[in-house]
Amino acid sequence: MRRSKSQMSSHKSPHILNTSSNLLGFCFIVITSLKITNKIHQTYIDEIVIVGALIFMTSTICSFLSIRTVVEKQAGFLESIAEYFFITGLLILLVVIMLIAFDML
């Protein structure tokens, strides 16, 4: 039996909320470790991670509001916004990881 698009995409907000908040914590760990090692002024990674943290924070807020919203249409809209911000944050972390891995500090 085929599922409709609404059935396949329903209830992503709790997963986005959980994962984006965890990745937000990861961003804070990266920023803290750069500050502790005194490399915060030598690289651009901290600025990139801060942008990623803001994007994950936006994703977290939108997914939380999507869970709490009663109106189905508004909840779906907020969930879509949270999903796009989440993907953007993942791409930013990919860039940061590549910069660190290839020692392009």
Side-chain angles (χ1 to χ4, degrees):
M1 184 168 92
R2 290 183 118 185
R3 294 189 303 177
S4 67
K5 186 177 179 182
S6 64
Q7 288 174 333
M8 289 190 297
S9 65
S10 64
H11 307 297
K12 285 190 250 179
S13 290
H15 302 291
I16 295 171
L17 177 62
N18 184 27
T19 309
S20 63
S21 62
N22 285 331
L23 290 173
L24 179 63
F26 175 74
C27 290
F28 290 140
I29 289 171
V30 170
I31 293 168
T32 303
S33 65
L34 287 172
K35 190 166 179 103
I36 288 173
T37 60
N38 290 325
K39 290 189 176 187
I40 202 159
H41 300 292
Q42 300 170 1
T43 68
Y44 292 108
I45 292 176
D46 59 320
E47 285 91 356
I48 298 170
V49 173
I50 288 171
V51 170
L54 291 173
I55 288 173
F56 281 124
M57 179 62 75
T58 305
S59 176
T60 302
I61 291 170
C62 287
S63 62
F64 175 77
L65 291 175
S66 172
I67 293 169
R68 300 296 295 170
T69 301
V70 178
V71 180
E72 184 78 26
K73 193 172 187 178
Q74 290 176 348
F77 178 71
L78 287 168
E79 187 175 272
S80 295
I81 291 173
E83 190 174 11
Y84 288 122
F85 274 102
F86 180 73
I87 293 295
T88 305
L90 285 177
L91 292 173
I92 288 174
L93 283 184
L94 174 68
V95 169
V96 168
I97 290 169
M98 289 177 66
L99 289 172
I100 292 172
F102 294 121
D103 204 21
M104 301 170 92
L105 304 172

